[in-house]
Amino acid sequence: MQLKRRHSLKKGVSIRNALTTATCTLLGGGASAQASATEVATPWEFDSALLYYSETDRVTAIEPVIKMRKELNDNEFINFRIVVDSLTGSSASGAVPMPFAQTFTQPSGNKTYTTNANETPLDPSFKDTRVALNAEWEKPLSRTLKSNLGANISKEYDYTSLGASASFSQDVNARNTTLTGGISLSYDIIEPVGGVPLGLTEMPDFADGEKILEDSDDTKTVVDLLFGVTQVINRKTLMQLNYTYGSSRGYLTDPYKILSIIDDTVGANFGEIINQGANDGASYRYEARPDSRAGQSLYWKVVHQFEEDVINASYRYYWDDWGISSHTIDMRYRYQIGGGHYLQPHLRYYVQSEADFYTPYLLDSNNTTVKEASSDYRLGDMTTTTIGLLYGVALTASSEFTFRGELMTQSGDEPSKFGALSNQTLFPDVDAIIVQIGYSFQF
Amino acid sequence: MTTMITTLCFSAIITLATGCSVQTVQPWERDILAQKKMQLNPAPLETYLDEHIYYSKEASSGGSGVGGGGCGCN
């Protein structure tokens, strides 16, 4: 019967290869099965990468990562991933630029930094190293049911995250359909430099005043649920549809972000920060976000192979109870050059609406009545556009080298402005470059 | 306007992808689907690094899976 179906096999593919594929699939692969011929002693598969991410005048990150994978038994795998994330540079404080220089107290309370006139305030004390470990265990529970258990821990000097996840995949419909259910839990501890400021209290002057603290640290818990369907459409097409629900509770505020308090009384200082240059009055307040958040998403992906080239495209719609909704389109086209070489253009477009409590600044006339506010541009009306190109080459049957370069731009509309604010740019574009080298091999 | 463009792009992708009907694929017909480049996530490290960047820079995250781990991302 299989010989009779030889005509349906791709030209150049031997019956032996087809039988190997079929055997492996029958042993445990589902709609997204990989061909992995089981041998007596399976090698460790290593996947490594070095990422360089740099924003113009802001953050730079260098991130080496290595992933190890080994097949223990038939379709039973263990995976380990180690990441080191080194960050330097400046991060937007949330304050608005002014036609004069502004001096801010650093979160530690021990130093100040000054931003020049007409420049976006950036906190230059941003420096961090993050180490993250992840382990996963994939195990078939029956011929058609597979489990994936995971655990992760990450540590920064002011942030610790502990997490666990479990997902189960059931193949049905002659393994053409895979149903997936998953859950992940995480418990994060936030220990900001200088303590956790009480939301919307004043950032003290360096010379006098003291930061009003909620505590020295705080926590948050995150629960994510996933339900997904993966469907084989035909021999060359695979499709996935996921629904996710996520709930976060606890301290969801950024302890380092502030808001400018703007004088909205018509007069000489109209549109300027209040108490400018004074030693006994604050011009800024710490931000405050709600202590819970529930978000949902629909995620759709298709993978299709043409003659040799492959398109991998996805769309996500996200919405939450902070008032944020977003659309994300991501597309990669793998163009086979020949001889194991390929080029892969990448396009990504993201657009989001602002959070209900997002505001670029506080008005002096009502800043004491506001309960929640943040000027973090990442919560505003915004688009992100990414364009990139990856080059890959198979060095041997089990090793591959990749190199990619991408440009990312984040931009948003200017909010309403008045008085001294009118000549300022409150939502400057954020441009970043992404460079990554990757090497995978077996050992 | 932006939402309209997004919706149009999304519709175009769906039309492109679902222009073909669903066919039952037998185990011995999975030579193409079994290739690494045909996996839903053919480059897990690249995906991980991208998701970490966008988690840090945007207000939305997730969708493709569960697990991973949090960060301060200030």
Side-chain angles (χ1 to χ4, degrees), chain A residues 274-425:
Chain A
I274 61 166
N275 301 318
Q276 191 262 325
N279 289 324
D280 56 354
S283 308
Y284 315 95
R285 289 184 184 275
Y286 290 103
E287 70 156 48
R289 305 182 189 186
D291 57 8
S292 70
R293 183 184 190 184
Q296 302 171 74
S297 73
L298 282 172
Y299 177 88
W300 174 85
K301 176 179 261 193
V302 64
V303 185
H304 176 75
Q305 182 163 162
F306 299 97
E307 193 64 29
E308 287 291 336
D309 301 348
V310 174
I311 187 169
N312 189 315
S314 67
Y315 166 79
R316 179 186 65 187
Y317 176 61
Y318 170 93
W319 69 102
D320 66 26
D321 61 358
W322 281 8
I324 294 167
S325 64
S326 70
H327 301 271
T328 312
I329 294 175
D330 190 291
M331 197 177 299
R332 288 175 166 83
Y333 186 88
R334 177 171 166 141
Y335 171 66
Q336 295 291 148
I337 302 172
H341 300 264
Y342 66 93
L343 286 173
Q344 185 172 274
H346 175 214
L347 289 172
R348 182 180 185 274
Y349 180 73
Y350 170 87
V351 56
Q352 74 177 35
S353 63
E354 66 184 28
D356 297 334
F357 53 88
Y358 171 79
T359 178
Y361 47 79
L362 293 171
L363 296 175
D364 185 37
S365 61
N366 68 353
N367 82 84
T368 55
T369 60
V370 174
K371 301 297 180 195
E372 291 156 349
S374 172
S375 60
D376 190 336
Y377 80 92
R378 298 172 296 184
L379 297 172
D381 279 326
M382 184 186 72
T383 62
T384 306
T385 308
T386 308
I387 181 167
L389 182 66
L390 179 144
Y391 162 74
V393 58
L395 302 174
T396 67
S398 59
S399 66
E400 183 177 281
F401 170 81
T402 58
F403 178 85
R404 71 162 166 154
E406 302 199 330
L407 297 173
M408 184 184 95
T409 298
Q410 294 190 287
S411 56
D413 295 333
E414 279 291 290
S416 62
K417 298 181 281 193
F418 56 89
L421 284 174
S422 299
N423 296 324
Q424 303 299 326
T425 302

Side-chain angles (χ1 to χ4, degrees), chain A residues 5 55 235 293 301 332, chain B residues 28 31 40 50 57 59:
Chain A
R5 287 188 176 269
E55 297 172 356
R235 286 187 64 216
R293 183 184 190 184
K301 176 179 261 193
R332 288 175 166 83
Chain B
W28 53 85
D31 53 329
L40 287 167
D50 277 355
K57 294 286 147 192

Side-chain angles (χ1 to χ4, degrees), chain A residues 24-33 142-145 170-178 230-232 238, chain B residues 24-25 27 30:
Chain A
C24 293
T25 309
L26 284 168
L27 281 171
S32 59
S142 73
R143 284 183 63 249
T144 57
L145 180 63
Q170 174 72 55
D171 295 332
V172 296
N173 186 25
R175 297 180 187 275
N176 280 253
T177 306
T178 303
T230 303
Q231 177 67 47
V232 172
L238 195 61
Chain B
T24 299
V25 177
R30 294 186 180 233

